[in-house]
Amino acid sequence: MTQRSVLVVLFEGVQSLDVTGPVEVFTGAGRASEEPYEIRTASLDGAPVCTSSGLRITPDCALPDAGTPHTLLVPGGEGSRSPAPGLIDWLREHARRAERVVSVCSGALLLAEAGLLDGRRATTHWALCAQLAEEYPEVTVEPDPVFVRDGPIATSAGVTAGIDLALALVEEDHGRDIALLIARYLVVFLRRPGNQAQFSVQLAVQTARREPLRELQQWITEHPEADLSVERLAERARLSPRHFARAFHAETGTTPGRYVERVRLEQARRLLEETADGVERISRVCGYGTPEAMRRAFVKALDTAPAEYRRRFHPRPGPGPEPTAHL
């Protein structure tokens, strides 16, 4: 039986979900695969820490006594903004010995401060990407992806992205079926690919201030198959096409055409991931009209065709293993 060890670093002000989300994924995967992970938590001095939400966590040991893990997981949280110097020293000296180093959310700031991200690509919570890029110019910051893998180091975006990254690591360790099983049991998306945007279309763009435009944004997401030309949308908003296009861009930060493209692409991706519908039907209900038009949109935005996208991210048929009651 293979046993991989996971060491989770704790510190004052850590984000509790950055810790518990990945831990639940690894624990469930270990039970389902019958190849359990050895999971331990450690603070710098072995003392309990208070999370950013006020929850107290008692670690298993002190970092100097933890040894070298297979996977070192560095969560984020308010405490990552002003870390104890001893924590950075420990990361600088010991982190590279692990086979995999993983950060969640603002944990990337700790890795960067320890010099572990120099010359590498990385991401973090969208609100901190500019800070990461400014304070650590040796790091190539990618603000859009859910997570970024660069060699043995992986960084992820805000909070729940740590679950996406943990599922990706489980798939690497135990295969896709186990990762799918755990994702279904935790009722999460398996798995947002690393290059997927941190936000859905509705979150990525601004919400219009004026009610007619705000309602129109929602209507577009609910009717991607409709005629969504500027002329028809302007008609629904009771504005001239020129006035509508100008107002939409001013209030949402994007053009109507670009918004429609993103809505249709997001819907098509979801259907490819979650259903067995054929590409022809998906292209029709998402407003592309033809499979070829959808293929061009996928290649342009994702550099992959719909069939390849489905092969990578759609669950394979078959019952698979059943989750145990104590996952």
Side-chain angles (χ1 to χ4, degrees):
M1 180 180 295
T2 301
Q3 188 173 50
R4 297 175 176 87
S5 60
V6 178
L7 178 64
V8 183
V9 176
L10 301 180
F11 50 85
E12 285 295 315
V14 69
Q15 163 65 252
S16 57
L17 188 57
D18 288 3
V19 175
T20 58
V23 164
E24 289 292 340
V25 171
F26 288 125
T27 300
R31 287 169 175 163
S33 66
E34 298 184 352
E35 295 181 9
Y37 292 86
E38 179 193 1
I39 302 174
R40 291 193 298 164
T41 57
S43 64
L44 189 59
D45 56 3
V49 301
C50 186
T51 69
S52 56
S53 62
L55 179 71
R56 295 195 69 80
I57 301 179
T58 301
D60 296 309
C61 62
L63 282 173
D65 302 325
T68 301
H70 176 272
T71 300
L72 178 67
L73 192 149
V74 182
E78 294 176 3
S80 64
R81 318 296 173 84
S82 54
L87 175 58
I88 300 302
D89 291 341
W90 187 90
L91 289 172
R92 186 178 294 115
E93 182 178 353
H94 296 278
R96 288 187 176 89
R97 301 176 187 175
E99 290 193 33
R100 298 189 300 214
V101 179
V102 177
S103 72
V104 183
C105 196
S106 59
L109 297 176
L110 300 177
L111 297 187
E113 182 65 19
L116 298 167
L117 299 183
D118 289 354
R120 295 187 183 276
R121 298 177 298 110
T123 193
T124 185
H125 190 285
W126 63 268
L128 299 173
C129 284
Q131 177 185 340
L132 181 63
E134 180 179 354
E135 295 183 1
Y136 305 98
E138 296 300 314
V139 182
T140 301
V141 179
E142 299 187 3
D144 291 329
V146 172
F147 60 84
V148 171
R149 297 282 300 272
D150 191 329
I153 297 181
T155 52
S156 60
V159 191
T160 55
I163 295 176
D164 295 299
L165 179 51
L167 286 166
L169 298 177
V170 164
E171 183 174 347
E172 179 180 297
D173 294 342
H174 299 292
R176 182 173 177 78
D177 289 343
I178 293 295
L180 280 167
L181 175 69
I182 303 309
R184 286 196 297 265
Y185 193 79
L186 295 177
V187 198
V188 296
F189 181 102
L190 180 87
R191 65 175 163 84
R192 289 188 294 178
N195 64 351
Q196 181 165 312
Q198 294 189 25
F199 297 119
S200 66
V201 175
Q202 290 78 13
L203 291 177
V205 304
Q206 305 168 39
T207 300
R209 295 187 301 275
R210 282 184 277 182
E211 188 170 333
L213 293 182
R214 189 165 60 246
E215 291 179 352
L216 185 61
Q217 283 182 275
Q218 182 62 33
W219 187 86
I220 291 171
T221 64
E222 294 171 353
H223 300 86
E225 79 291 350
D227 180 355
L228 301 180
S229 64
V230 168
E231 290 74 18
R232 296 288 77 77
L233 294 175
E235 185 178 318
R236 289 192 65 87
R238 296 186 174 88
L239 297 170
S240 70
R242 180 176 295 182
H243 186 191
F244 165 72
R246 187 165 52 244
F248 191 95
H249 186 274
E251 296 201 18
T252 68
T254 190
T255 66
R258 178 60 178 148
Y259 185 81
V260 168
E261 287 177 3
R262 295 176 70 176
V263 165
R264 284 175 167 162
L265 183 69
E266 185 174 277
Q267 174 74 346
R269 289 170 69 164
R270 185 183 68 79
L271 292 176
L272 287 170
E273 292 157 1
E274 299 177 3
T275 76
D277 293 350
V279 170
E280 184 172 351
R281 180 179 186 279
I282 292 175
S283 67
R284 185 172 64 254
V285 301
C286 292
Y288 289 110
T290 66
E292 176 58 25
M294 189 170 88
R295 189 194 70 81
R296 288 196 300 268
F298 267 67
V299 171
K300 176 183 175 182
L302 305 174
D303 197 29
T304 189
E308 173 61 16
Y309 184 89
R310 165 167 274 171
R311 189 190 68 77
R312 292 175 60 197
F313 300 117
H314 181 69
R316 288 195 298 268
E322 290 296 324
T324 57
H326 56 283
L327 272 178

